[in-house]
Structure formats: structure tokens, C-alpha cells
Amino acid sequence: MLCYAEPRAMKMLRFRSPSVSSLAQEVQCTVRLLDDSEIACSIQRDTKGQFLLDHVCNHYSLLEKDYFGIRYVDPEKQRHWLDPSKPVVKQMKCQQPYTMCFRVKFYPQEPIKIKEELTRYLLYLQLKRDVYHGRLLCPFTDAAYLGACIVQAELGDYDPEEHPADYISDFKLFPKQSLKLDSKIMEIHQNELRGQCPALAELSLLQRAHTLDTYGVDPHPCKDFTGSTAFLGFTARGFVVFQGNKRIHLLKWADVSKFKFEGKTFYVIGVQREFLCSPHTLCKKLVLTFHTSTPASCKHLWKCAVENQAFYKCAKSSQIKTVSSSSIIFKGSRFRYSGRVAKEVIEASSKIQRDPPVVHRSQFGQSRSFISLSHKQLIMNMEPLLPALSSSRENRDSSANNGLSALKDSVHLSPLKPSVTSEEVEVRENHVQERREDEAVNRMKADEERREIHVDHEDEACAALTISDTEYSPCASVVPTPVEESQGGLNLLFQSPARLLKELHADPEMQLELQAERERELAREAFRQSLCSPSSGRQQMQACLLSAARLVVMATGLLVILLPLLLVLLESDLDISFLHDIRQTPEFEQFHYEYYCPLRRWFLCKLELMTEQLWGD
């Protein structure tokens, strides 16, 4: 997040393509960054998406840019990723000026392998947005830790002289934020994370977030074959399906064969591995079918699937192939991911040799999770904060000399604390406790008002795509996000495969299905054993010979029918291009004069003789 003189500073840049074009063909674009600041630029009508993406990365001085992309929303509220290989104007369907968003497109599987702090900071901003909008589901303990990391990164160490007792209430971190969660966040912030600089606190958040099941999931709403609502997503591990706040499918990339779509139907073709008692595994073909609301959303889902599969599965970009959306006869849409893959990105990151760029973090008052504190009477000084500085010994000394003003500098520097007597501390704590009890109800109402004020336009356009307790699973039994362990709702959230399998086996209907599956498996095993016997081998050989004989007879019959038909068409006067081209070949002319013409004369002579004999009789 870069700091500006104003919160939403605008920078103008004009892209020039190699061709000379008139000014009337220029298009105005606005790209919204991860910190909600904007970059305005003027591009030519033939400018491709890669130039726009490179400009945003140059604005950040970002080298590890393969994880990021530019997203836009069409007039039908359908989201799209800007294709770097195509002109921007041909992709945008809305009216000018164009508005787009710079977002994380591919989440790294291991954030610790990211080379530069700047890239980790941008990923931190994206994850903070995912937490804020409910896309990153997590249990109560993980939610408290993530919230504490955000507070530590933006405020620094807890200081009772500068921070009031309810300072955490001014951060809007989750879709639903309770007093119990606030207390847990403050406990972790004041104790466990104390002393961590912003970069370390952000890395702690990345390390905890990447272990969650919804890390990197951009939810796509759809219906399964039973008509139930499901959300599809793609992660570094593979293809995932969520239903009722539970992950019901995880198909690893090694087991995914192909993605297809036809109209509003999306197909996932892969293999399902069943581990038997023996060391061998039984692989079965698996086809998952889902139905989207519109054909455009289905095509967008298919493109996301193809890109994620290529990025995470392929070892080199040269292995990426152009894929079609349907069968061989009706190819439908064709698409190819044109960027680098994850392994190549990690290798390129390890070779970066430049000095790390300066990371200008957001000011505390400009944070998206921060709610204005001007309406509260706080003990802390609410002067504007300066950008974060490096944690050098000189900065530490200067902050110590400046006393309370050090809070305006790097948030990980601890300001000096003036001496306070125990009587003053006790009076202050009593005052804060009384004020907290009086304002508990008013704060809940104010949170709702702030939620309406701080709505992001891009997330408002895709509100139906947000995984939350309302949109993600509309049933009344779903627990809120995050989930409190004491509520017993944690069992509903991302159960482990072993626990889920135990519950399925306890279901009587599932037991009947399992019994039927065992009987079918025994029947298949008996059939395989019968094939191994000598008599069955002879029968199988006879069946194969009979099938081959039938194939030869059918092929011969087709040739007998099609060859004369082709000859008739070639010798006819039909003026068709492909027939004309065949007639002009030397081989056909030789066939015509050496075989066809003598055969036709012989046939006509025989026909005349037969006619004369008939008339003579």
C-alpha cells in the first residue's frame, strides 16, 4: 500500500502504442489498487492488457508480478480477469471511463518462499480484504490470531497510555465481530505478538492464513446435480467444492484431467483414487457436473479453472497447451494461459539481486479496517501518522526522544511512557470499564452504519460471490464467521476427512449404499477372476476375433458404398471447390483417362449389346 498526499491520489499516465493514432482514439482507465487508492491513465485503443498490468507493477516497483492480475466487472455484474494478450478495449463491455481493480490472482502455496517484502505486503493486503469480506473462513482461534496480526501491523505494540481499553472496537476486521472475539484479539495482540515489526506481523498472518482451507479460494456460486447450492474454487492444492460451510470435495491437480463447459453446465473430469488393503490403488474415472446461473459465468469459471490448473500443475510454461471447452467435433471456445507457472516464478524470485524496495505502508487513519475515532474521547493523540520507517537504531533513538510523537513513525517502535501512579491507573480503568458497558449497545449500531459507509464497489458488484454465513449457506443452522469454539459450531466448519467419513458411516442410508457398493465390488472381482481361467480366455479370444471380423465387414461395406458415390460426384458437373481441386490433380487425371474412361466405354458397349438383344427378341 503506497502513501499519498491525499487518500485517493490520482496519477495520470498516457500509454503510446508503436502506431501513430489520433487523440480521439484514447480511452480513460482507472485502476483501483489494494489500498483503495487509484491510478488514472489514458491508453490507446490497441493497447493490450499486459501494458496496463506492467504499469501498475512499475508503480509499486514490483518484480514478482506473476501472482497478480487486473479484474473488472461487466454491466451484467459478471467478473472477469483482464487478458494480458488481448487489447483492453475489446475486452471491456462497459462504457468509458473503464474502472478495474488490481488484485491477487494466484495465491502462492508457501508465502515464506516470496523473496521481497513488498510482494508479501501486497499479499497481506489481499488477505486482509478476504478476511474483511468473509471469503477467508476460519475458526475462532485462527480468526483471533489473524485479527491480532492486523492490529499489530497497523498499531504496533500495545501501550496502555496511548490505547484505550476498547481500542480494538475501532477496527472492522470480520463480517461479524463479537465482543468475545475483540477480547481474544486484544489478548493475543498485547502478549503473543508484542515486539513484532509490521513486516513480521504480516508474515505471521500469511503463515497462519495459508494453512486454512479457504486460502486463495475465489468462490464461484453454482448448483450441483441435486440442485443444492455449492461454491467452487481453485487453490494451490487443487479443485475444491464447498457446501454448507464444509469442504465436500478436494481434487488434487494430479488427479484433474480436464475442465469443460457447455452453456451453463460445467464439467470436471478426473480420477478418484481408492486405497485398497494392498499397496495398490484403484483409480476410477470421476465426472463432476455443476450448473451456473448464466453462460458468461460458466465460461469465466472455465477460464479460471484452466489458468489455475496450468499455473499450479505444469512444471514449465512450455508444457501449457491450448484447450477447448467442449468435444473434438464441436470445439467451442479455445483458451490458453500465457503466463509463467508457479515453479518458474519461484525460481525467478530466488534470482532477484536488487536492493529491497522501500515499502510505504498505509497510514493508520487510511486503513480499510479502521473506523474513524473522531467521535470518541480517547486518551491517545490523534495526530496524522507518517509512513512506516525502517527499524534502524537511529529511528529507535529518535522515537525515544520524541516521546508520544513516536506513534506517528514506524508502528513497531515503542514510544516512551510517562510515569503514572497506581491511583491514576485504577481511576482510569474504572472510567474505561463504565464507558465500555454504556457504549456496548451503541457500538453495535454504529458498526452497522460503518459497514454501509465502507463498501467497496468491486466487492459490492460481486457480493453474491462472497463466502459468508448468509450467502454461502442460507440455512439457519449455519454458524457465523468466524466460529466460536464454545458454540459447538466448529464441527460444522471444514471437518477433517476422517471425521466426515465417520459421520457418513453412521448414517443408515449411507450404510445401505456402502453395502451395495461392496456387493458390486465383489461381483467385479469375481468377474475378473473368471477372466483369468483358461476357458474364459478362449471365450474372450473368440469374442475378440468376432469383433474384429465385424469391424472388417463394416469397413468393407462403407468402402463399397462410399467409393462409388465419390466417383459419381467427381465425374459429375457439380461446381464445388473441393471437388474441383481433386479433379485438377495428376493422379485423378491418370485415373480418369486410364481406368474410368475405358471402364465406362466397356460398360456402355455391354449395355448396347444387351439392349439390341432385348429389342431383337
Side-chain angles (χ1 to χ4, degrees):
M1 191 182 298
L2 303 183
C3 296
Y4 299 90
E6 297 179 0
R8 306 181 72 85
M10 308 287 285
K11 289 191 176 182
M12 297 297 297
L13 182 71
R14 177 176 297 169
F15 288 109
R16 293 288 187 180
S17 61
S19 61
V20 179
S21 303
S22 62
L23 294 177
Q25 293 181 336
E26 293 182 349
V27 179
Q28 299 297 324
C29 293
T30 300
V31 181
R32 180 168 299 165
L33 305 179
L34 286 165
D35 59 352
D36 289 333
S37 62
E38 296 177 350
I39 297 180
C41 57
S42 178
I43 63 174
Q44 300 292 330
R45 302 189 68 87
D46 59 348
T47 300
K48 294 184 178 181
Q50 186 63 45
F51 290 96
L52 199 58
L53 181 60
D54 290 339
H55 168 56
V56 178
C57 295
N58 293 335
H59 170 77
Y60 278 117
S61 186
L62 178 65
L63 292 183
E64 298 171 295
K65 56 186 177 181
D66 298 270
Y67 298 114
F68 303 89
I70 295 179
R71 167 174 280 167
Y72 65 93
V73 182
D74 63 15
E76 286 75 25
K77 305 300 181 182
Q78 175 60 48
R79 297 186 301 172
H80 303 273
W81 287 106
L82 193 67
D83 193 338
S85 61
K86 295 182 180 179
V88 177
V89 176
K90 291 185 178 180
Q91 301 181 59
M92 304 295 292
K93 300 178 182 180
C94 56
Q95 297 180 354
Q96 302 181 20
Y98 299 147
T99 302
M100 292 163 278
C101 298
F102 179 75
R103 297 290 183 262
V104 174
K105 188 175 183 179
F106 303 110
Y107 290 71
Q109 185 174 6
E110 298 181 66
I112 195 65
K113 292 185 178 180
I114 297 178
K115 181 67 176 293
E116 295 192 325
E117 179 184 345
L118 173 63
T119 311
R120 291 194 295 268
Y121 176 64
L122 296 178
L123 178 60
Y124 157 78
L125 294 180
Q126 178 66 64
L127 289 174
K128 191 170 70 168
R129 299 177 68 91
D130 294 343
V131 171
Y132 177 79
H133 292 285
R135 288 187 290 267
L136 187 63
L137 293 180
C138 48
F140 179 81
T141 304
D142 292 330
Y145 186 83
L146 297 180
C149 290
I150 295 175
V151 176
Q152 179 69 23
E154 298 194 5
L155 279 186
D157 290 341
Y158 171 73
D159 185 358
E161 302 300 327
E162 299 295 333
H163 302 147
D166 58 345
Y167 70 98
I168 201 65
S169 63
D170 299 300
F171 284 83
K172 190 66 178 69
L173 304 173
F174 298 93
K176 287 191 175 182
Q177 195 165 326
S178 61
L179 294 176
K180 182 177 180 180
L181 180 61
D182 290 347
S183 301
K184 188 64 176 178
I185 291 176
M186 288 190 293
E187 178 185 348
I188 298 176
H189 172 235
Q190 296 172 11
N191 301 301
E192 185 175 348
L193 300 180
R194 187 173 185 83
Q196 291 191 3
C197 63
L200 185 57
E202 293 159 5
L203 181 60
S204 299
L205 183 141
L206 300 184
Q207 289 294 94
R208 179 63 65 91
H210 95 282
T211 61
L212 302 175
D213 288 333
T214 50
Y215 169 75
V217 173
D218 185 16
H220 298 265
C222 62
K223 302 283 186 180
D224 60 7
F225 68 97
T226 63
S228 303
T229 302
F231 282 84
L232 313 184
F234 310 97
T235 66
R237 300 180 61 189
F239 168 75
V240 292
V241 181
F242 292 95
Q243 193 175 68
N245 274 0
K246 291 188 293 186
R247 189 184 70 189
I248 62 174
H249 280 296
L250 171 58
L251 199 59
K252 296 183 179 180
W253 290 120
D255 298 333
V256 177
S257 302
K258 187 178 181 182
F259 296 101
K260 296 196 308 180
F261 84 96
E262 294 178 0
K264 296 188 292 184
T265 306
F266 179 69
Y267 301 96
V268 182
I269 303 174
V271 294
Q272 183 179 10
R273 303 180 185 273
E274 295 184 0
F275 295 93
L276 305 178
C277 297
S278 60
H280 305 286
T281 58
L282 180 62
C283 297
K284 298 181 180 179
K285 184 177 180 180
L286 177 66
V287 179
L288 301 178
T289 305
F290 303 93
H291 304 281
T292 60
S293 57
T294 61
S297 61
C298 192
K299 185 175 182 180
H300 171 65
L301 173 60
W302 173 71
K303 283 188 174 182
C304 292
V306 172
E307 288 182 326
N308 280 271
Q309 183 184 23
F311 183 81
Y312 292 114
K313 184 177 181 179
C314 296
K316 297 180 180 180
S317 56
S318 58
Q319 299 176 353
I320 303 175
K321 299 179 181 180
T322 302
V323 296
S324 59
S325 61
S326 187
S327 59
I328 299 177
I329 301 176
F330 304 99
K331 291 187 177 181
S333 301
R334 297 176 63 84
F335 181 70
R336 182 182 185 274
Y337 170 65
S338 57
R340 293 191 295 184
V341 300
K343 293 184 179 179
E344 293 177 338
V345 174
I346 295 175
E347 292 177 1
S349 299
S350 62
K351 298 178 182 179
I352 296 177
Q353 300 293 335
R354 68 169 181 176
D355 295 333
V358 179
V359 180
H360 299 286
R361 290 177 170 81
S362 67
Q363 299 180 15
F364 176 47
Q366 293 178 3
S367 173
R368 179 178 181 84
S369 60
F370 174 75
I371 307 300
S372 176
L373 302 178
S374 59
H375 65 285
K376 291 189 179 281
Q377 297 179 355
L378 302 183
I379 305 173
M380 61 186 296
N381 182 14
M382 289 306 299
E383 295 180 1
L385 302 182
L386 299 178
L389 303 177
S390 59
S391 57
S392 62
R393 182 178 299 274
E394 298 177 358
N395 289 336
R396 297 177 188 270
D397 297 337
S398 62
S399 64
N401 296 330
N402 292 333
L404 292 178
S405 62
L407 186 60
K408 298 183 293 184
D409 297 328
S410 177
V411 295
H412 61 278
L413 301 181
S414 301
L416 290 178
K417 307 175 181 59
S419 59
V420 182
T421 62
S422 59
E423 291 80 8
E424 292 177 350
V425 172
E426 182 178 359
V427 171
R428 184 175 301 170
E429 290 177 353
N430 294 334
H431 173 70
V432 170
Q433 182 66 23
E434 292 175 0
R435 185 182 60 186
R436 186 172 184 179
E437 293 176 357
D438 294 337
E439 293 180 353
V441 178
N442 296 332
R443 185 165 59 251
M444 296 178 63
K445 297 180 179 179
D447 289 342
E448 297 296 330
E449 297 176 358
R450 299 189 197 103
R451 187 180 307 169
E452 297 176 358
I453 294 174
H454 295 268
V455 174
D456 179 77
H457 297 289
E458 188 250 358
D459 294 300
E460 180 182 0
C462 60
L465 306 182
T466 300
I467 296 182
S468 66
D469 60 314
T470 302
E471 292 86 359
Y472 186 64
S473 183
C475 60
S477 61
V478 173
V479 293
T481 303
V483 193
E484 296 187 5
E485 295 172 343
S486 60
Q487 294 177 349
L490 187 59
N491 295 331
L492 296 176
L493 189 62
F494 304 134
Q495 293 183 358
S496 62
R499 184 180 181 88
L500 183 59
L501 187 61
K502 186 183 297 183
E503 293 182 359
L504 290 177
H505 280 277
D507 190 0
E509 296 181 357
M510 184 57 63
Q511 291 180 359
L512 294 177
E513 294 181 3
L514 291 175
Q515 182 64 27
E517 181 65 25
R518 293 192 193 96
E519 294 177 356
R520 288 192 295 269
E521 186 66 27
L522 292 176
R524 287 194 294 267
E525 184 66 26
F527 177 73
R528 285 194 294 266
Q529 292 179 359
S530 64
L531 293 178
C532 298
S533 60
S535 60
S536 62
R538 288 192 297 270
Q539 295 177 358
Q540 186 176 6
M541 181 63 67
Q542 293 177 359
C544 291
L545 293 176
L546 182 59
S547 300
R550 290 176 180 175
L551 182 61
V552 171
V553 171
M554 291 180 61
T556 305
L558 289 175
L559 290 176
V560 170
I561 296 174
L562 294 179
L563 282 179
L565 180 60
L566 181 60
L567 290 176
V568 171
L569 293 176
L570 290 172
E571 295 297 338
S572 63
D573 297 332
L574 293 177
D575 190 10
I576 302 177
S577 59
F578 80 93
L579 293 178
H580 180 73
D581 295 338
I582 296 176
R583 295 189 188 106
Q584 298 299 324
T585 58
E587 291 81 2
F588 180 79
E589 291 182 354
Q590 181 181 4
F591 169 78
H592 178 77
Y593 291 109
E594 293 185 6
Y595 296 97
Y596 176 76
C597 290
L599 182 62
R600 185 179 62 177
R601 287 194 297 269
W602 177 81
F603 180 76
L604 291 176
C605 291
K606 293 295 183 180
L607 184 61
E608 289 178 358
L609 290 175
M610 293 176 61
T611 305
E612 290 177 358
Q613 291 178 0
L614 290 174
W615 283 105
D617 295 340

